Amino acid sequence: MNRIREDECMSKFGLFYELLGKMPGATKEDVVCQYSGGTSLSELYERAPKVYRKMIEDMKRMTKSEGEDERMDRLRKRVIASVAGYFEKAGLYEGTTRRERLQKIIATACRAAGVDDLNDMTEAQMKRVYNEFLRRQKTACRAEKACEEAKRETGKVIRRGCLSVTVPE
């Protein structure tokens, strides 16, 4: 009989414990005390269901934001990588230090998105900038191949970054 009651409690509080597990350093007692003023989890659930639901919603919001920060950080890194890849293909910013190159890459990404700070970019802006610079990388690859072909055929090519022009004979 006691075992059945424990299983009911675990399913009833399963979401609470799942969210608590995503909150490093937080204890059950601390979280419950913050919302109930000292009662137990089961008392909070039974006697103050609105407060319990608010606690769960706050815990969801707290754990979601950590995941959201990580996702946005990954997107920022992808933007930087796509701009850097384009610069490398285009032959831009050669001879600069790594730090200067990174500053120019970030400034270019910000200018492309129309923001002053990389951290101010929205998800949509980051995806747009990322895709645009991937497209530019592909264009640079095609231009490089065309340049090599023209050089083989004519032997006369003017090259500036990723742009090439064949000189007429």
Side-chain angles (χ1 to χ4, degrees), residues 56-114:
I56 294 294
E57 289 306 312
D58 289 348
M59 290 172 74
K60 282 180 182 177
R61 199 172 325 108
M62 287 172 50
T63 56
K64 178 185 174 207
S65 67
E66 290 174 9
E68 181 71 15
D69 290 345
E70 290 172 8
R71 191 172 65 76
M72 293 299 278
D73 189 47
R74 277 195 314 274
L75 284 171
R76 280 194 243 0
K77 288 175 182 174
R78 288 177 68 193
V79 166
I80 291 170
S82 70
V83 175
Y86 167 69
F87 284 173
E88 188 175 317
K89 283 285 182 199
L92 300 173
Y93 302 128
E94 290 179 359
T96 59
T97 67
R98 187 176 180 173
R99 184 180 191 86
E100 290 172 330
R101 194 168 31 246
L102 181 61
Q103 288 172 343
K104 290 179 181 187
I105 288 167
I106 291 173
T108 301
C110 289
R111 227 178 4 265

Side-chain angles (χ1 to χ4, degrees), residues 42-60:
S42 59
E43 284 180 22
L44 179 63
Y45 179 83
E46 291 168 7
R47 294 185 181 167
K50 287 182 181 178
V51 176
Y52 180 82
R53 282 193 300 272
K54 180 175 178 5
M55 177 182 69
I56 294 294
E57 289 306 312
D58 289 348
M59 290 172 74
K60 282 180 182 177

Side-chain angles (χ1 to χ4, degrees), residues 16 28-37 39-41 44:
F16 171 82
K28 177 182 100 171
E29 291 77 20
D30 291 340
V31 174
V32 172
C33 185
Q34 183 179 353
Y35 286 88
S36 69
T39 64
S40 70
L41 181 61
L44 179 63

